[in-house]
Amino acid sequence: MPETSRSLPPKGRRKLIFGLVAAIAVAGFWTERGHLAYALRGIGGPSGKAAGPPARDAGVPVTLAQARTGDFPLNLDELGTVQAFNTVTVRTQVAGRITRIGFTQGDMVKKGDLLAQIDPRPYQAALDQAKGQLAHDQALLKGAQVDLVRYQGLARQKALPQQTLDTQVALVAQDQGTVEADQAAVNAAQGNLLYCSIVSPIDGRAGFRLVDEGNLVEPADTTGIVTVTQVQPITVVFPVPQDEIPAIGKALGSGRAPVLAMAADGRTVLSRGTLSFTNNQVDVATGTISLKATFPNGDNALWPGQSVIVRLLLDTLENVTLMPEAAVQHGPDGLFAYIAGADGKAQMRPIKVAQTGGGQVVVSDGVRPGDKVVADGAYRVQPGVPLKATGIQAGPARPPPAGADGEQTSSI
């Protein structure tokens, strides 16, 4: 036997050594396994019984939502700029020194409220002078008219030359023209005196004061005294793609074109208004047309120059099938959704989506009202697996009126 062992070639000896090592490793594994099983039996409790088989899987935890029938608003979201309904730069119409500023910067003013007072004394003197000249010339006219009546009587009696009568007639007409010119001068002087009190031409908010008391102002000044902006109502100008012109025209024609002005988060509604009108041409450079919406702005939530998100309601799809947008899954063959079957197991069902927005979609095929769809946790779901509902939604959130939450697009 020793001779046989020595006669083995080197390759055979290596196989023999590897076999012995493998046998020792297997024996060690089973020995260690026995010790581990014994330890686990000890952990199992005083009874020393081993733990039983694992419990059967109770299902994949998911959140379900119920599809429902409802109305779906078709909204158009664009970035707009708030503009004052009217903006007036108040300037003086007469020259003079400002003796009083009658407004507080940033406050609301009413039409006719005093904004500034110019020293009226020079214009009062001019008015008095014009009135005096008018009285003088009216007296001359009256005397000329009396002489004319007398000359007419003498002319009928052939006691006065016709030339004298004609001269008197011309003199009366001249005096009448002088009186009319004097009256115009009085009116102008009255107007200049009135312009010394500078009042607000509109209801609005006063801006910064552009000139202080004691300064001399004149009509040639371009800066003005103050700018007043009408903010109740107020307008928002925003561009829309030219492809939307037919839908916008339809909305305007129906008289139902509500508009929301929202904050930058796209959810906080600042004011509600209506679409007023569209521009008369498309901007060739951008392919858009400008629209203007009007808002009452009774709470002064909108300020001129402010940027807002404008949401325009173009149309409303009525009695359509709605479900959460999160339930829509994308597969190699198109869109699908997981439906909880009557047996509590997942069913993969192909769907067709007509519209999407506001966290919900309009399903035209594949889902019926009342079906429970997987709205959360779908990444763990496979067809046929049992589902464990950890939460159930009544359905997708009903969209606020007048096109509030979420931009609606044509399809996914």
Side-chain angles (χ1 to χ4, degrees):
M1 185 69 179
E3 291 180 0
T4 304
S5 176
R6 286 195 299 268
S7 64
L8 287 174
K11 185 176 181 180
R13 288 198 296 268
R14 285 196 299 270
K15 290 183 178 180
L16 180 61
I17 292 172
F18 289 156
L20 291 174
V21 172
I24 293 171
V26 171
F29 168 75
W30 284 103
T31 302
E32 184 63 24
R33 182 175 180 274
H35 286 291
L36 182 60
Y38 178 78
L40 290 175
R41 285 196 299 270
I43 295 173
S47 62
K49 294 182 179 179
R56 186 178 180 180
D57 188 3
V60 177
V62 295
T63 300
L64 300 178
Q66 188 171 5
R68 66 174 179 86
T69 300
D71 297 339
F72 186 83
L74 297 177
N75 296 320
L76 184 65
D77 283 16
E78 299 294 342
L79 184 63
T81 302
V82 181
Q83 293 183 354
F85 197 79
N86 286 303
T87 301
V88 179
T89 300
V90 180
R91 298 183 175 91
T92 180
Q93 293 180 263
V94 294
R97 182 175 62 87
I98 293 182
T99 60
R100 179 189 172 194
I101 295 294
F103 68 92
T104 301
Q105 301 176 91
D107 280 2
M108 297 292 293
V109 295
K110 295 291 186 181
K111 183 178 181 180
D113 286 353
L114 180 68
L115 300 179
Q117 179 68 53
I118 294 177
D119 186 0
R121 291 174 294 181
Y123 297 98
Q124 182 65 56
L127 175 61
D128 294 340
Q129 183 180 3
K131 286 182 177 179
Q133 186 64 42
L134 174 62
H136 175 269
D137 291 337
Q138 283 177 334
L140 293 178
L141 174 61
K142 185 175 181 180
Q145 288 173 337
V146 171
D147 289 342
L148 177 60
V149 172
R150 185 164 54 258
Y151 289 169
Q152 288 173 341
L154 293 174
R156 284 193 296 270
Q157 298 174 8
K158 305 297 183 178
L160 186 72
Q162 184 65 35
Q163 182 179 359
T164 302
L165 178 61
D166 294 340
T167 301
Q168 189 62 30
V169 171
L171 179 61
V172 170
Q174 178 181 345
D175 289 344
Q176 285 178 338
T178 302
V179 169
E180 291 177 359
D182 291 342
Q183 184 62 55
V186 169
N187 295 340
Q190 287 176 335
N192 289 336
L193 182 62
L194 182 65
Y195 293 149
C196 289
S197 297
I198 302 174
V199 299
S200 176
I202 59 173
D203 295 343
R205 187 179 300 278
F208 289 153
R209 186 175 64 246
L210 304 177
V211 65
D212 297 326
E213 291 183 5
N215 284 276
L216 292 174
V217 293
E218 58 183 16
D221 295 339
T222 58
T223 57
I225 297 173
V226 66
T227 298
V228 179
T229 55
Q230 185 176 358
V231 295
Q232 295 176 349
I234 203 167
T235 62
V236 176
V237 176
F238 58 101
V240 299
Q242 60 183 358
D243 296 340
E244 302 292 346
I245 292 178
I248 293 170
K250 181 180 178 181
L252 278 173
S254 65
R256 296 179 293 105
V259 180
L260 297 181
M262 297 180 297
D265 59 6
R267 294 188 177 275
T268 303
V269 178
L270 300 177
S271 186
R272 299 175 183 269
T274 56
L275 185 63
S276 303
F277 55 85
T278 64
N279 201 358
N280 58 0
Q281 62 182 357
V282 174
D283 188 336
V284 179
T286 60
T288 61
I289 186 170
S290 295
L291 277 64
K292 181 175 287 189
T294 303
F295 299 83
N297 200 34
D299 56 356
N300 292 313
L302 301 179
W303 286 70
Q306 180 182 3
S307 294
V308 296
I309 295 177
V310 181
R311 181 160 294 161
L312 170 63
L313 178 62
L314 296 177
D315 199 0
T316 301
L317 302 179
E318 299 179 348
N319 298 323
V320 293
T321 302
L322 304 174
M323 76 175 190
E325 186 177 359
V328 179
Q329 306 298 319
H330 296 258
D333 298 328
L335 303 179
F336 68 94
Y338 286 116
I339 310 295
D343 57 357
K345 294 182 179 180
Q347 301 176 3
M348 188 176 75
R349 190 178 297 175
I351 61 173
K352 292 182 179 179
V353 174
Q355 303 286 342
T356 180
Q360 59 184 2
V361 297
V362 176
V363 183
S364 58
D365 188 27
V367 174
R368 297 181 298 273
D371 287 345
K372 294 181 179 179
V373 297
V374 176
D376 187 27
Y379 65 94
R380 296 188 295 260
V381 178
Q382 295 293 332
V385 302
L387 300 177
K388 179 181 179 181
T390 59
I392 299 179
Q393 302 176 4
R398 186 178 298 273
D405 261 338
E407 179 181 1
Q408 320 301 343
T409 55
S410 59
S411 63
I412 292 184

